[in-house]
Amino acid sequence: MGKKGFGILENLYLCGCALIAIGFCLPVFSALKRGVNGFALVSKDFSVVSLGVLLIFIGAVAGIVLCFIGIKNAKLLKLAAIALSILGGIILVVRMNDNAISRFVGKGFLKNTAIGFWLIIVGWITAAVGYFKTR
């Protein structure tokens, strides 16, 4: 009756979702010498871009919660959570030209990205690899 160990491979999905959530809270874009985190991208009028931004965070948090609770369809729900987060990122990129800040950031997209953006990308990859590796 061996004790189940805590290995990084078994928890890769959890690490990926945590990276997404942390990256969302850190500056995602640095325009005009000012960092903008994910919550700052949510507008007051709740546009489609706001929905996409929130889906990134909600999907990551749902994935983290699903790692700790034991329910029947946890594997399928984990896949849905990471897919929801990635869908939010796709919505954000497609609808990038809605406001002036987005257009400014879009002109020099890669040079205006900050650490949060890269953590979200790495988190998506890590969570996807973790999901498919432990299947």
Side-chain angles (χ1 to χ4, degrees):
M1 299 189 207
K3 191 168 138 182
K4 187 175 181 182
F6 181 83
I8 191 72
L9 192 57
E10 291 84 16
N11 294 299
L12 207 54
Y13 179 84
L14 175 64
C15 293
C17 288
L19 284 173
I20 296 168
I22 292 168
F24 189 84
C25 296
L26 292 174
V28 179
F29 298 110
S30 59
L32 300 174
K33 306 281 185 193
R34 183 174 165 244
V36 178
N37 69 3
F39 294 111
L41 293 173
V42 178
S43 64
K44 292 179 181 166
D45 61 351
F46 199 74
S47 62
V48 176
V49 174
S50 298
L51 176 67
V53 169
L54 288 175
L55 284 178
I56 294 170
F57 187 69
I58 291 169
V61 171
I64 292 169
V65 169
L66 287 170
C67 288
F68 292 108
I69 61 172
I71 57 174
K72 194 176 197 180
N73 297 327
K75 289 293 256 186
L76 182 62
L77 291 174
K78 284 181 182 180
L79 178 64
I82 194 64
L84 190 70
S85 181
I86 294 172
L87 176 68
I90 292 170
I91 290 172
L92 179 63
V93 169
V94 168
R95 300 291 296 185
M96 195 69 163
N97 291 326
D98 276 357
N99 60 28
I101 294 173
S102 298
R103 282 192 295 270
F104 175 75
V105 170
K107 286 181 182 176
F109 184 72
L110 287 179
K111 71 177 182 179
N112 289 317
T113 57
I115 187 70
F117 174 82
W118 297 109
L119 280 177
I120 291 171
I121 299 296
V122 168
W124 283 336
I125 294 168
T126 306
V129 167
Y131 176 80
F132 291 112
K133 191 72 172 171
T134 58
R135 271 192 108 197

